[in-house]
C-alpha cells in the first residue's frame, strides 16, 4: 500500500479485497450461455455440422439458441431441414466445442459425458454417508453371525446334557 501511495487503512484495504474476491466468485458462478440438448450442454460459440450428399451444413450456438439458416431450431429440426425425416440428430450431427480443434460426433460426445459422469467422485458428505452405511451393514452382519455362533454353541452343549440323552445312549459306570 505504501508503494502504491494508497490512502486506505489496512482494514479498509482488507474489506475492499474481500469484496472484490466475492464479486469475482459471483461473476465466475454466473452460468455460461449455451444450448441444453437433453443431458449435453453446448456452450455459446459451439458449432454443429451435418453432411448430406456431398455438402456440409453448419449451425452455431448463439446466446442460448441453436441457430441454423438464421432461425433458432432444435438439433432434430436441423437434421430434418438438412436431410428430411427419419434422421437421428445424435448420429448425424458433429460438434466443435469452443477452444477445441477436432469435431466429435454428438452420440460419442454424449456417451463420453455419461462415462465421465460415472467417474465423478462423491462429495465429502456423500462419501461419509456411503461409509457410514457400509459400516452399519458390516456391524449388522457381524452381530447376526455372532448370534448364530452363540446359538450353535449353546445347542451343542445342551445336547450333551443327560436330560437330552436317550436312556440307551448313556454310559454306565463300571467299577
Amino acid at each position: 500500500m505504501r508503494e502504491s501511495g494508497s490512502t486506505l487503512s489496512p482494514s479498509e484495504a482488507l474489506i475492499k479485497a474481500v469484496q472484490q474476491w466475492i464479486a469475482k466468485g459471483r461473476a465466475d458462478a454466473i452460468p455460461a450461455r449455451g444450448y441444453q440438448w437433453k443431458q449435453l450442454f453446448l456452450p455459446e460459440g459451439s458449432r454443429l455440422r451435418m453432411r448430406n450428399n456431398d455438402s456440409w451444413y453448419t449451425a452455431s450456438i448463439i446466446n442460448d439458441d441453436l441457430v441454423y439458416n438464421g432461425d433458432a431450431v432444435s438439433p432434430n429440426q436441423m437434421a430434418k431441414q438438412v436431410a428430411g425425416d427419419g434422421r437421428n440428430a445424435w448420429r448425424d450431427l458433429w460438434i466443435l466445442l469452443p477452444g477445441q480443434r477436432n469435431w466429435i460426433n454428438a452420440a460419442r460426445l454424449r456417451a463420453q459425458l455419461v462415462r465421465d459422469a460415472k467417474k465423478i467422485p462423491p462429495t465429502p458428505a456423500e462419501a461419509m454417508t456411503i461409509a457410514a452405511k457400509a459400516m452399519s451393514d458390516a456391524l449388522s452382519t457381524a452381530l447376526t453371525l455372532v448370534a448364530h455362533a452363540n446359538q450353535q454353541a449353546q445347542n451343542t452343549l445342551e445336547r450333551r446334557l443327560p436330560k437330552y440323552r436317550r436312556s440307551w445312549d448313556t454310559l454306565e459306570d463300571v467299577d
Side-chain angles (χ1 to χ4, degrees):
M1 288 177 34
R2 287 183 192 142
E3 290 175 12
S4 68
S6 174
T7 59
L8 295 174
S9 70
S11 61
E12 291 172 329
L14 181 61
I15 290 170
K16 291 260 187 211
V18 170
Q19 287 173 340
Q20 287 178 355
W21 179 70
I22 290 172
K24 182 174 178 354
R26 286 184 180 149
D28 291 345
I30 295 172
R33 298 188 68 89
Y35 184 82
Q36 186 71 44
W37 181 14
K38 302 215 179 188
Q39 65 269 51
L40 185 63
F41 179 75
L42 302 174
E44 185 175 21
S46 298
R47 294 175 38 208
L48 286 82
R49 72 180 183 182
M50 181 176 167
R51 186 177 180 109
N52 188 33
N53 296 326
D54 288 328
S55 299
W56 286 99
Y57 300 86
T58 61
S60 298
I61 304 296
I62 301 173
N63 292 325
D64 292 330
D65 296 319
L66 170 60
V67 178
Y68 174 69
N69 283 343
D71 295 324
V73 295
S74 70
N76 187 39
Q77 289 170 332
M78 179 185 169
K80 283 182 182 179
Q81 287 180 18
V82 170
D85 286 336
R87 300 308 292 249
N88 182 334
W90 289 107
R91 184 190 65 217
D92 294 334
L93 291 177
W94 291 78
I95 299 170
L96 181 64
L97 297 171
Q100 298 292 315
R101 295 178 56 195
N102 299 320
W103 292 84
I104 185 167
N105 179 264
R108 284 188 183 161
L109 189 59
R110 178 174 63 169
Q112 179 182 352
L113 176 75
V114 169
R115 276 194 312 273
D116 291 348
K118 290 179 182 176
K119 293 179 185 176
I120 294 175
T123 65
E126 292 170 337
M128 289 182 69
T129 302
I130 292 168
K133 171 122 176 58
M135 288 191 290
S136 173
D137 292 347
L139 181 60
S140 176
T141 301
L143 290 173
T144 302
L145 289 172
V146 167
H148 179 70
N150 285 341
Q151 182 182 4
Q152 289 293 84
Q154 186 177 7
N155 285 342
T156 302
L157 292 174
E158 287 180 0
R159 283 185 286 173
R160 294 179 184 267
L161 294 176
K163 67 179 183 177
Y164 291 107
R165 294 201 171 258
R166 296 179 197 94
S167 61
W168 55 268
D169 190 25
T170 57
L171 294 174
E172 294 182 21
D173 289 332
V174 180
D175 289 336

Coordinates of all heavy atoms in Angstrom, one line a residue, residues 22-55:
I22 N -15.2 -11.7 -3.5 CA -16.6 -12.2 -3.5 C -17.2 -11.8 -4.9 O -17.9 -12.7 -5.5 CB -17.4 -11.6 -2.3 CG1 -16.9 -12.2 -1.0 CG2 -18.9 -11.8 -2.5 CD1 -17.5 -11.5 0.2
A23 N -17.0 -10.6 -5.4 CA -17.6 -10.2 -6.7 C -17.1 -11.1 -7.8 O -17.8 -11.5 -8.7 CB -17.3 -8.8 -7.0
K24 N -15.8 -11.4 -7.8 CA -15.2 -12.3 -8.8 C -15.8 -13.7 -8.7 O -16.1 -14.3 -9.7 CB -13.7 -12.4 -8.6 CG -13.0 -13.2 -9.7 CD -11.6 -13.2 -9.7 CE -10.9 -14.1 -10.7 NZ -11.6 -14.9 -11.5
G25 N -16.0 -14.2 -7.5 CA -16.6 -15.5 -7.3 C -18.0 -15.6 -7.8 O -18.4 -16.5 -8.5
R26 N -18.8 -14.5 -7.6 CA -20.1 -14.4 -8.2 C -20.1 -14.4 -9.7 O -20.9 -15.0 -10.3 CB -20.9 -13.2 -7.6 CG -21.3 -13.4 -6.2 CD -22.1 -12.2 -5.7 NE -22.4 -12.5 -4.3 CZ -22.6 -11.5 -3.4 NH1 -22.5 -10.2 -3.8 NH2 -22.9 -11.8 -2.1
A27 N -19.2 -13.6 -10.2 CA -19.1 -13.5 -11.7 C -18.7 -14.9 -12.3 O -19.3 -15.2 -13.4 CB -18.0 -12.5 -12.1
D28 N -17.9 -15.6 -11.6 CA -17.5 -16.9 -12.1 C -18.7 -17.9 -12.0 O -18.8 -18.9 -12.7 CB -16.3 -17.5 -11.4 CG -15.0 -16.8 -11.7 OD1 -15.0 -16.0 -12.7 OD2 -14.0 -16.9 -10.9
A29 N -19.6 -17.6 -11.0 CA -20.7 -18.5 -10.8 C -21.8 -18.3 -11.8 O -22.8 -19.1 -11.9 CB -21.2 -18.4 -9.4
I30 N -21.8 -17.2 -12.5 CA -22.9 -16.9 -13.5 C -22.8 -18.0 -14.5 O -21.8 -18.2 -15.1 CB -22.7 -15.5 -14.1 CG1 -22.9 -14.5 -13.0 CG2 -23.7 -15.3 -15.2 CD1 -22.6 -13.1 -13.5
P31 N -24.0 -18.7 -14.8 CA -23.9 -19.8 -15.7 C -23.6 -19.3 -17.1 O -24.0 -18.2 -17.5 CB -25.3 -20.4 -15.6 CG -26.2 -19.3 -15.0 CD -25.3 -18.5 -14.2
A32 N -22.8 -20.1 -17.8 CA -22.4 -19.8 -19.2 C -23.7 -19.9 -20.1 O -24.6 -20.6 -19.8 CB -21.4 -20.8 -19.7
R33 N -23.7 -19.1 -21.1 CA -24.8 -19.2 -22.1 C -24.5 -20.3 -23.0 O -23.4 -20.7 -23.2 CB -24.9 -17.8 -22.8 CG -25.2 -16.7 -21.9 CD -25.5 -15.4 -22.6 NE -26.7 -15.5 -23.3 CZ -27.9 -15.1 -22.8 NH1 -28.0 -14.7 -21.6 NH2 -29.0 -15.2 -23.6
G34 N -25.6 -20.9 -23.5 CA -25.4 -22.0 -24.4 C -26.7 -22.7 -24.6 O -27.8 -22.3 -24.1
Y35 N -26.7 -23.8 -25.3 CA -27.9 -24.6 -25.6 C -27.8 -25.9 -24.9 O -26.8 -26.7 -24.9 CB -27.9 -24.9 -27.1 CG -29.2 -25.6 -27.6 CD1 -30.3 -24.9 -27.8 CD2 -29.1 -27.0 -27.8 CE1 -31.5 -25.6 -28.2 CE2 -30.3 -27.6 -28.2 CZ -31.4 -26.9 -28.4 OH -32.6 -27.6 -28.8
Q36 N -28.9 -26.3 -24.1 CA -29.0 -27.5 -23.4 C -29.7 -28.5 -24.3 O -30.9 -28.4 -24.6 CB -29.8 -27.4 -22.1 CG -29.8 -28.6 -21.2 CD -28.5 -28.9 -20.6 OE1 -27.8 -28.0 -20.1 NE2 -28.1 -30.1 -20.6
W37 N -29.0 -29.5 -24.8 CA -29.6 -30.6 -25.6 C -29.6 -31.9 -24.8 O -28.6 -32.6 -24.6 CB -28.7 -30.8 -26.9 CG -29.2 -31.8 -27.9 CD1 -30.4 -32.4 -27.9 CD2 -28.4 -32.3 -28.9 NE1 -30.4 -33.3 -29.0 CE2 -29.2 -33.3 -29.6 CE3 -27.1 -32.1 -29.4 CZ2 -28.8 -33.9 -30.7 CZ3 -26.7 -32.8 -30.5 CH2 -27.5 -33.7 -31.2
K38 N -30.8 -32.1 -24.2 CA -31.0 -33.2 -23.3 C -29.9 -33.1 -22.2 O -29.8 -32.1 -21.5 CB -31.0 -34.5 -24.0 CG -32.2 -34.6 -25.1 CD -32.8 -35.9 -25.2 CE -33.9 -35.7 -26.2 NZ -34.7 -36.9 -26.3
Q39 N -29.1 -34.1 -22.0 CA -28.1 -34.1 -21.0 C -26.8 -33.4 -21.4 O -25.8 -33.2 -20.7 CB -27.8 -35.5 -20.4 CG -27.1 -36.4 -21.4 CD -28.1 -37.3 -22.1 OE1 -29.1 -36.8 -22.7 NE2 -27.9 -38.6 -22.1
L40 N -26.7 -33.0 -22.7 CA -25.5 -32.4 -23.3 C -25.6 -30.9 -23.3 O -26.6 -30.4 -23.9 CB -25.3 -33.0 -24.7 CG -24.0 -32.5 -25.4 CD1 -22.8 -33.0 -24.7 CD2 -24.0 -33.1 -26.8
F41 N -24.7 -30.2 -22.7 CA -24.7 -28.7 -22.7 C -23.7 -28.2 -23.7 O -22.5 -28.6 -23.7 CB -24.4 -28.1 -21.4 CG -24.4 -26.6 -21.4 CD1 -25.5 -25.9 -21.4 CD2 -23.2 -25.9 -21.3 CE1 -25.5 -24.5 -21.4 CE2 -23.2 -24.5 -21.4 CZ -24.3 -23.8 -21.4
L42 N -24.2 -27.4 -24.7 CA -23.3 -26.9 -25.7 C -23.1 -25.4 -25.4 O -24.0 -24.6 -25.6 CB -23.9 -27.1 -27.1 CG -24.3 -28.5 -27.5 CD1 -25.0 -28.6 -28.8 CD2 -23.0 -29.3 -27.6
P43 N -21.9 -25.0 -25.0 CA -21.7 -23.6 -24.7 C -21.8 -22.7 -25.9 O -21.6 -23.1 -27.0 CB -20.3 -23.6 -24.1 CG -19.6 -24.9 -24.5 CD -20.7 -25.8 -24.8
E44 N -22.0 -21.4 -25.6 CA -22.1 -20.4 -26.7 C -20.8 -20.5 -27.5 O -19.7 -20.6 -26.9 CB -22.3 -19.1 -26.1 CG -22.5 -18.0 -27.2 CD -22.9 -16.6 -26.6 OE1 -22.6 -16.4 -25.4 OE2 -23.4 -15.8 -27.3
G45 N -20.9 -20.4 -28.8 CA -19.7 -20.5 -29.6 C -19.5 -21.8 -30.2 O -18.6 -22.0 -31.1
S46 N -20.2 -22.8 -29.7 CA -20.1 -24.2 -30.3 C -20.6 -24.2 -31.7 O -21.5 -23.4 -32.0 CB -20.9 -25.2 -29.5 OG -20.4 -25.3 -28.2
R47 N -20.1 -25.0 -32.5 CA -20.6 -25.1 -33.9 C -21.0 -26.6 -34.2 O -20.5 -27.5 -33.6 CB -19.5 -24.7 -34.9 CG -19.2 -23.3 -34.8 CD -18.0 -22.8 -35.6 NE -17.9 -23.4 -36.9 CZ -16.8 -23.5 -37.6 NH1 -15.6 -23.2 -37.0 NH2 -16.8 -24.1 -38.8
L48 N -22.1 -26.7 -35.0 CA -22.6 -28.0 -35.3 C -22.6 -28.1 -36.9 O -22.8 -27.1 -37.6 CB -24.0 -28.2 -34.8 CG -24.2 -28.5 -33.3 CD1 -24.2 -27.2 -32.6 CD2 -25.5 -29.2 -33.1
R49 N -22.4 -29.3 -37.3 CA -22.4 -29.5 -38.8 C -23.0 -30.9 -39.1 O -23.0 -31.8 -38.2 CB -21.0 -29.4 -39.4 CG -20.1 -30.5 -39.1 CD -18.7 -30.3 -39.8 NE -17.8 -31.4 -39.5 CZ -16.6 -31.5 -39.9 NH1 -16.1 -30.5 -40.6 NH2 -15.8 -32.5 -39.7
M50 N -23.5 -31.0 -40.3 CA -24.1 -32.3 -40.8 C -23.8 -32.4 -42.2 O -23.9 -31.4 -43.0 CB -25.6 -32.3 -40.5 CG -26.3 -33.5 -40.9 SD -28.0 -33.5 -40.5 CE -28.6 -34.8 -41.4
R51 N -23.5 -33.6 -42.6 CA -23.2 -33.9 -44.0 C -24.4 -34.5 -44.7 O -24.9 -35.5 -44.1 CB -21.9 -34.8 -44.2 CG -21.5 -34.9 -45.6 CD -20.2 -35.8 -45.6 NE -19.8 -36.0 -47.0 CZ -18.7 -35.4 -47.5 NH1 -17.9 -34.7 -46.7 NH2 -18.4 -35.6 -48.7
N52 N -24.7 -34.0 -45.9 CA -25.8 -34.6 -46.6 C -25.4 -34.6 -48.1 O -25.0 -33.5 -48.6 CB -27.1 -33.9 -46.4 CG -28.3 -34.7 -47.1 OD1 -28.3 -35.9 -47.1 ND2 -29.3 -33.9 -47.6
N53 N -25.4 -35.7 -48.7 CA -24.9 -35.9 -50.1 C -23.4 -35.5 -50.0 O -22.6 -36.1 -49.3 CB -25.7 -35.1 -51.1 CG -27.1 -35.7 -51.2 OD1 -27.3 -36.9 -51.1 ND2 -28.0 -34.8 -51.4
D54 N -22.9 -34.5 -50.7 CA -21.5 -34.1 -50.7 C -21.4 -32.7 -50.1 O -20.3 -32.1 -50.3 CB -20.9 -34.2 -52.1 CG -20.7 -35.6 -52.5 OD1 -20.5 -36.5 -51.7 OD2 -20.8 -35.9 -53.8
S55 N -22.3 -32.3 -49.3 CA -22.3 -30.9 -48.8 C -22.3 -31.0 -47.2 O -23.0 -31.8 -46.7 CB -23.4 -30.1 -49.3 OG -23.4 -30.0 -50.7

